[in-house]
Amino acid sequence: MGKGTIKVKKKCCRSQPPCKSCPIVVLRNLLREAKADEVKKEQKKAKKAEKKKNAK
């Protein structure tokens, strides 16, 4: 993680709107970032395969 460490609370305070250090919110954000990275990688692979196909 490039932004440094995120301090996560042990218990969720259930505040509205949810604070940034509640465990559920942190996990949800990490999953969202991981999925975005996967999508980017897949797009990059597809683009590379397309270029190879067109080169032949």
Side-chain angles (χ1 to χ4, degrees):
M1 294 190 293
K3 300 171 191 161
T5 59
I6 300 171
K7 288 201 173 193
V8 180
K9 294 179 184 178
K10 288 186 180 181
K11 283 188 169 183
C12 184
C13 60
R14 291 181 167 75
S15 63
Q16 289 296 342
C19 64
K20 301 284 188 236
S21 59
C22 285
I24 296 164
V25 176
V26 172
L27 287 173
R28 194 182 306 140
N29 288 340
L30 288 174
L31 281 172
R32 191 177 299 136
E33 288 173 9
K35 283 187 180 184
D37 286 344
E38 277 185 40
V39 168
K40 280 184 184 179
K41 284 181 185 179
E42 289 299 319
Q43 287 175 343
K44 199 172 185 181
K45 282 182 182 179
K47 196 173 183 183
K48 204 171 190 179
E50 184 74 27
K51 279 187 177 182
K52 260 189 177 179
K53 216 179 229 185
N54 288 338
K56 288 184 178 182

